[in-house]
Amino acid sequence: MKKLAKFLSYGAFLGAFTATGAANAQGVAPDPQRLITPAFIEQTREWLANPIVGLMVSAQSQRHAGLLQADIDALDQQWRAERELDDQPLISATLSTPLSSYLTRIQAGALGLYTEMFIVDSKGLNVGQSAITGDYWQGDEAKFTNTFNVGPDAVFIDEAEWDDGWQIWRAQLNLSIPSEDGTRAIGAATIEINLTELQRRARTGS
């Protein structure tokens, strides 16, 4: 199966919105903890509260409940291998889910504010995403261990990183996905933010 062309590339989202960043030197890294405010996090929680998120995370977690670590590693290796191939059954199946479509719409509507977003199940395996990630299993990374393993309200903001290709600063906002009654985490979400654009909006009030 050929790669899904409908998913806009990283550059397609950013191209029109990086002029300011491209024109400037790298400079001092913006502070993600200051820019990603409680209000911004609350707005993120609001669109993550769409029922499609909880339903698809719960459904996949149930399907994957019996997976052993060897099974998870095999899926992750399959994903990484498919990234180099035209035939991508696992990647295509994941990118074709309603949750992936929802995340893609959210990213497109944010007009360059988000560079990538994905949501994982209770094993740390991708359920939906706006673009092809480097791996399928996120369960051994801080974005998962500092959220899902902590509790339903956990928030983890990673450090700012400079993207030399797009000449922007970016950082990941990671949140637990809570159960319907809010008593436990059922998955986790990672939203990678264009800090250069967020800083511009904060400065101009837009």
Side-chain angles (χ1 to χ4, degrees), residues 113-194:
L113 184 58
Y114 305 130
T115 59
E116 179 182 36
M117 54 181 64
F118 50 92
I119 291 176
V120 301
D121 64 14
S122 60
K123 299 286 189 183
L125 294 166
N126 293 3
V127 182
Q129 53 204 94
S130 64
I132 300 176
T133 49
D135 45 18
Y136 184 54
W137 183 49
Q138 322 295 337
D140 59 341
E141 300 182 20
K143 60 175 67 71
F144 184 78
T145 59
N146 289 345
T147 53
F148 179 82
N149 291 354
V150 175
D153 300 322
V155 177
F156 169 59
I157 301 174
D158 215 340
E159 297 180 356
E161 294 184 356
W162 174 250
D163 187 317
D164 198 46
W166 292 102
Q167 298 284 292
I168 61 169
W169 286 100
R170 51 187 172 82
Q172 290 184 340
L173 167 63
N174 305 280
L175 305 165
S176 291
I177 301 295
S179 59
E180 190 172 4
D181 61 5
T183 59
R184 59 188 176 84
I186 60 172
T190 293
I191 298 93
E192 190 170 86
I193 297 164
N194 178 349

Side-chain angles (χ1 to χ4, degrees), residues 35-57:
L35 287 172
I36 302 174
T37 63
F40 186 95
I41 294 171
E42 183 57 31
Q43 290 173 357
T44 304
R45 287 197 185 283
E46 288 177 3
W47 60 257
L48 284 174
N50 186 301
I52 195 172
V53 175
L55 288 171
M56 292 211 63
V57 170

